[in-house]
């Protein structure tokens, strides 16, 4: 019994470390994309980033001798996942390019709250009044950050909200995706969705692509490698430790994102952002804690 507990604890520690690594590299990816979007059209950034990530995951799938296409790929949950991936990626990258990195990162942390609410509404999962209260408190934190109706309000902040909703929908669709689809295949079609998002935005914007200079090319390459590494670390985390043990460490992305925003882009945290961030994180952690309690009682 003692050996089993020690093994679980070791797995949870390893999973938590993988989760922290994933969130750190995701924050780096965001910063690199934000920097690249200064010199290149946003549509081009999305297309290049998506193609690069898709090629890496396609190569990984081929190395593992996995077919790149199967009937599961065009199943209804996968189509829904692709649509939400396009929405999430497009609006979040727009947010990264137009608002502070710290603000976009903080709003993104509300994704788990929307996922829990969506699971209750879409999949009929039981969510008691305590978790519903936490969801509304966390969403109130988002409202505090956005500050609608005040001088501090910027409609551009809604881009991050739309991106967050898109990612929540993607995560919900992933739950219903065929279990036979591997991480590499999900990654491949996730990054191909980014290509579609970039192409659609480029067509709407009507701005021609330009040849990136050496520095911008390095930024894009770094973003691609960071994206693939972060996704891989995230999958490793979820498969190493218990979900309830490693998931709280998702919120470390907030710390990394804020730190990079301050150091690299000279951003400053407002009082409203600090209060809103606290409400989002505390609500998310309570939902995780309450969910773990319920599973223990069953």
């Amino acid at each position: 019994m003692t050996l089993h507990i020690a093994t679980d604890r070791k797995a949870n520690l390893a999973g938590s470390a993988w989760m922290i690594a994933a969130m750190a590299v995701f924050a780096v990816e965001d910063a690199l994309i934000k920097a690249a979007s200064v010199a290149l059209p946003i549509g081009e950034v999305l297309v290049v980033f998506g193609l690069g990530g898709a090629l890496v995951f396609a190569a990984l799938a081929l190395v593992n001798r996995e077919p790149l296409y199967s009937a599961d790929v065009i199943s209804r949950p996968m189509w829904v996942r692709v649509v939400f991936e396009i929405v999430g990626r497009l609006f979040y990258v727009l947010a990264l390019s137009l608002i502070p990195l710290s603000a976009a990162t903080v709003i993104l942390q509300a994704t788990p709250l929307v996922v829990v609410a969506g699971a209750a509404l879409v999949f009929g999962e039981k969510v008691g009044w305590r978790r519903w209260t936490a969801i509304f408190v966390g969403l109130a934190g988002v409202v505090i950050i956005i500050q609608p109706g005040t001088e501090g309000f910027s409609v551009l902040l809604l881009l991050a909200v739309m991106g967050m909703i898109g990612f929540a929908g993607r995560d919900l669709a992933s739950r219903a995706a065929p279990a036979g689809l591997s991480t590499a295949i999900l990654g491949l079609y996730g990054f191909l969705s980014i290509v579609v998002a970039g192409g659609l935005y480029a067509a709407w914007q009507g701005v021609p692509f330009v040849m990136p200079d050496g520095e911008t090319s390095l930024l894009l390459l770094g973003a691609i490698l960071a994206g693939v590494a972060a996704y891989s670390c995230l999958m490793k985390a979820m498969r190493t430790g218990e979900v309830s043990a490693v998931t709280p460490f998702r919120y470390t992305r907030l710390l990394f994102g804020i730190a990079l925003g301050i150091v690299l882009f000279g951003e400053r945290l407002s009082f409203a952002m600090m209060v809103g961030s606290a409400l989002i994180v505390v609500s998310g952690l309570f939902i995780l804690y309450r969910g773990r309690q319920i599973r223990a009682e069953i």
Side-chain angles (χ1 to χ4, degrees):
M1 181 67 176
T2 303
L3 179 61
H4 178 69
I5 294 175
T7 302
D8 287 345
R9 186 176 299 169
K10 185 176 180 181
N12 287 337
L13 286 173
S16 300
W18 280 114
M19 180 63 78
I20 293 172
M23 296 303 105
V25 186
F26 270 130
V28 171
E29 173 201 319
D30 290 346
L32 292 172
I33 288 177
K34 182 176 180 65
S37 65
V38 174
L40 295 178
I42 294 172
E44 182 175 354
V45 172
L46 285 165
V47 169
V48 174
F49 177 71
L51 283 174
L55 287 173
V56 173
F57 277 113
L60 290 174
L62 291 174
V63 168
N64 294 329
R65 297 182 179 180
E66 300 172 10
L68 300 183
Y69 175 81
S70 66
D72 287 342
V73 168
I74 57 172
S75 61
R76 184 176 180 181
M78 282 297 290
W79 278 110
V80 174
R81 186 180 190 272
V82 165
V83 170
F84 277 111
E85 182 82 65
I86 290 172
V87 172
R89 283 290 183 173
L90 175 57
F91 283 99
Y92 188 62
V93 170
L94 283 170
L96 287 175
S97 65
L98 297 172
I99 69 174
L101 173 62
S102 53
T105 303
V106 169
I107 292 173
L108 185 67
Q109 302 315 302
T111 302
L113 304 177
V114 179
V115 169
V116 173
L121 298 174
V122 178
F123 296 120
E125 292 188 13
K126 186 177 180 180
V127 176
W129 68 269
R130 294 180 182 84
R131 285 193 287 175
W132 274 117
T133 301
I135 289 169
F136 286 120
V137 169
L139 294 180
V142 175
V143 174
I144 290 173
I145 294 169
I146 297 174
Q147 302 180 72
T150 68
E151 293 182 359
F153 171 71
S154 171
V155 69
L156 296 177
L157 291 170
L158 297 179
L159 295 172
V161 175
M162 287 298 298
M164 178 267 291
I165 293 172
F167 287 139
R170 176 202 62 188
D171 291 349
L172 283 169
S174 296
R175 294 189 179 195
L181 293 174
S182 69
T183 298
I185 297 300
L186 288 175
L188 166 62
Y189 285 93
F191 274 90
L192 286 177
S193 302
I194 301 173
V195 177
V196 175
L200 291 174
Y201 186 75
W204 177 82
Q205 191 179 31
V207 176
F209 288 4
V210 298
M211 180 63 68
D213 57 23
E215 181 180 350
T216 307
S217 297
L218 288 176
L219 290 172
L220 286 172
L221 177 61
I224 292 168
L225 296 176
V228 172
Y231 191 88
S232 300
C233 287
L234 178 61
M235 293 301 103
K236 184 73 173 177
M238 300 305 289
R239 293 177 176 180
T240 300
E242 296 173 297
V243 173
S244 60
V246 304
T247 299
F249 290 93
R250 279 180 176 268
Y251 291 103
T252 57
R253 182 172 182 171
L254 186 148
L255 301 176
F256 293 121
I258 290 176
L260 289 174
I262 293 172
V263 174
L264 298 180
F265 303 106
E267 298 172 1
R268 298 179 63 183
L269 290 181
S270 66
F271 178 73
M273 187 179 295
M274 288 188 286
V275 172
S277 301
L279 290 177
I280 292 170
V281 172
V282 170
S283 299
L285 291 176
F286 175 80
I287 286 173
L288 290 168
Y289 168 75
R290 183 60 186 162
R292 190 173 185 176
Q293 272 192 327
I294 293 172
R295 285 192 295 272
E297 292 170 1
I298 296 177

